[in-house]
Structures are given as C-alpha cells and as structure tokens.
Amino acid sequence: MSFRASVLTLYPEMFPGPLGLSLAGRALEEGAWSLHTVQIRDFATDRHRSVDDTPAGGGAGMVMRADVLARAIDHAAPPDDPRPRLLMSPRGRPLDQARVRALAAGPGAVILCGRFEGVDQRLIETRALEEVSIGDYVLSGGEPAALVLLDAVVRLLPGVMGNALSGHEESFESGLLEHPHYTRPQLFEGRPIPEVLTSGNHARIAAWRRAEAEALTRRRRPDLWAAYRADRETDDTA
Ligand code: SAH
C-alpha cells in the first residue's frame, strides 16, 4: 500500500501545486503516493457555509469551528483509520528529518491546514491531533506547511529518488549538515575545485567531507553540534 495523504483545507486548489511537478509529481502519477483533498467548507451546515467564528473571550481574528472541522476529519479519516492526524501549527513540535522518516515509513497522513487565528482547542483534543510546526515564524495558513511536510516525506518513499544513494549522506541524516559540493568547470572565477576532490583518493575524499561537515555544523548550528557530540560520547562509552 502506498503512502496516502489526505489534506483538509479551505483552499484545495493549492494542491498538489508544486508537488505535481518534478520528483513528487512523477511519483504521484506513478502511484507511489496518493493525494486526496477535502474542502472543509463542504462540512458547514449554515446558510453562509461558515467555518469560523469570533474567539470566545474576545480579541482579534476568527477561530475555526470544532464542529465543522470534526465532520470534515471524520469524513476523511474514520476512527479506525491508522494514519496519524496532523495539524499544521506554529505551536507544534518543529518538524525534523527523524519525524519525516517515520511518517514516510507509515501508511500516510491526514493533514489539517489551519487558517485565521487557528482552530478550536476541543477539536485538537477530541480528534487527537498532533501539532506540527515547520519553523518559528507565522504563515497565513497551514497549506504551505503541508506542502513542505509532504515534499520532505514523498522524496523518501521507495522508488521516488532516482539515485537511491543521494539520500544517505545528506544534511541531518548523520546528525550533521552536509559538506560543500563542487562540479565543473574546474576553475570558476579564479577558484579551483579543492584539490582533494579531484585526487581520486576515496578515503581522503571521505575524510575531507566529514571534516567539512563537522566544521560547518559546529559553526552554523551549535544545537546540532552539541547533539552530535553527545551521541558520539554515548557510543564511545557503550
Ligand atoms: N494565531 C496563531 C497563528 C495562526 S496562523 C498563533 O499565533 O499561533 C494560521 C494557520 O497557519 C495556523 O492555524 C497554521 O495551520 C498555519 N501555520 C502558521 N505558521 C505555521 C508554522 N510555522 N508551521 C505550521 N503551520 C503554520
């Protein structure tokens, strides 16, 4: 069974969007994953088909209604649906490659895209939604966040990446940022490709790449560097 994504949104026209092109688009055509969009507004019951209302307690903006969203979720994913239910949300746990890998290994995902100020808390609790953030900044809606999440997941699905190896040494897979890349021409604006990379000595090349990756991670991401060091220390003492 291939990865099944269901996306609940007020803007189904945003999908597949960029995921209809390139690697993800080809994988979608070939059935490596499937995408089902649900228009949340179809589950509104009043005359104006409203999906949001003013916040209890007052304040600016509007809040998405629990009853409308619950009907949409129950339609897209009945209680026995094994797929995780995600709510794109700046309050969520920041998405990382480990979570992406776990999602890609599973049956799919049901993804709710918020709009306005967000969704009624009771919906999050009763439908056991896992809040997922794509970073510490605020988008106007969950749709671009869902596209980011799906892009990261789809490229890991079996058969999607042309060169299976190119997934291995990438940023985060080893706990480090990736080493720099070079290709022809040999000389660009007076700068040659580092000599070691054209030496043909694979052991030296691997050592150089690892050293560059470590230096880069240490400089740019002290948080990743500390985790990487801690990991290695546990390995050494085990
Ligand atoms: N008032 C909210 C922000 C709402 S933004 C707050 O301060 O937390 C509207 C919607 O955009 C959210 O419901 C969520 O679905 C989506 N969104 C915004 N920023 C996001 C982020 N960093 N990651 C994931 N989803 C995000």
Side-chain angles (χ1 to χ4, degrees):
M1 266 275 280
S2 62
F3 185 92
R4 287 194 308 129
S6 295
V7 178
L8 287 72
T9 170
L10 289 172
Y11 299 96
E13 308 85 342
M14 290 191 187
F15 297 85
L19 299 182
L21 303 167
S22 190
L23 276 184
R26 202 171 323 128
L28 187 58
E29 269 170 33
E30 288 170 358
W33 67 295
S34 68
L35 177 66
H36 171 219
T37 54
V38 175
Q39 169 56 272
I40 293 167
R41 204 171 291 285
D42 290 345
F43 297 86
T45 48
D46 67 338
R47 206 156 50 85
H48 303 289
R49 302 219 301 157
S50 43
V51 296
D52 57 320
D53 210 327
T54 54
M62 300 293 270
V63 176
M64 295 179 90
R65 289 170 56 127
D67 54 351
V68 177
L69 289 175
R71 279 193 294 272
I73 290 179
D74 295 345
H75 164 85
D80 61 345
D81 192 313
R83 295 175 294 167
R85 296 139 186 252
L86 313 180
L87 168 64
M88 303 320 296
S89 158
R91 299 190 323 193
R93 198 165 91 80
L95 186 63
D96 62 12
Q97 191 65 11
R99 186 72 190 103
V100 167
R101 225 181 297 121
L103 285 168
V110 180
I111 306 175
L112 175 58
C113 302
R115 281 271 154 184
F116 319 114
E117 290 308 318
V119 312
D120 188 303
Q121 182 64 24
R122 295 167 295 178
L123 190 268
I124 302 176
E125 291 165 10
T126 58
R127 294 306 181 273
L129 302 184
E130 172 189 340
E131 295 182 65
V132 179
S133 167
I134 64 159
D136 291 342
Y137 40 81
V138 181
L139 304 169
S140 55
E143 290 80 6
L147 290 168
V148 165
L149 181 142
L150 287 172
D151 182 290
V153 166
V154 165
R155 62 193 285 286
L156 296 185
L157 298 176
V160 173
M161 296 251 285
N163 176 1
L165 265 183
S166 69
H168 281 181
E169 279 194 11
E170 281 184 326
S171 291
F172 311 118
E173 290 293 351
S174 59
L176 295 172
L177 301 178
E178 199 181 43
H179 57 77
H181 297 289
Y182 297 88
T183 187
R184 278 183 287 267
Q186 157 61 24
L187 196 65
F188 170 69
E189 298 187 351
R191 296 160 180 253
I193 293 175
E195 178 274 325
V196 54
L197 296 180
T198 49
S199 69
N201 182 331
H202 296 298
R204 264 186 76 211
I205 292 172
W208 181 87
R209 286 182 168 160
R210 156 90 23 180
E212 289 287 317
E214 290 186 352
L216 199 69
T217 307
R218 185 176 190 165
R219 216 175 329 116
R220 290 196 186 162
R221 292 291 301 272
D223 56 326
L224 291 180
W225 180 244
Y228 173 76
R229 293 281 301 261
D231 241 33
R232 299 198 106 196
E233 266 161 40
T234 2
D235 282 354
D236 291 348
T237 54

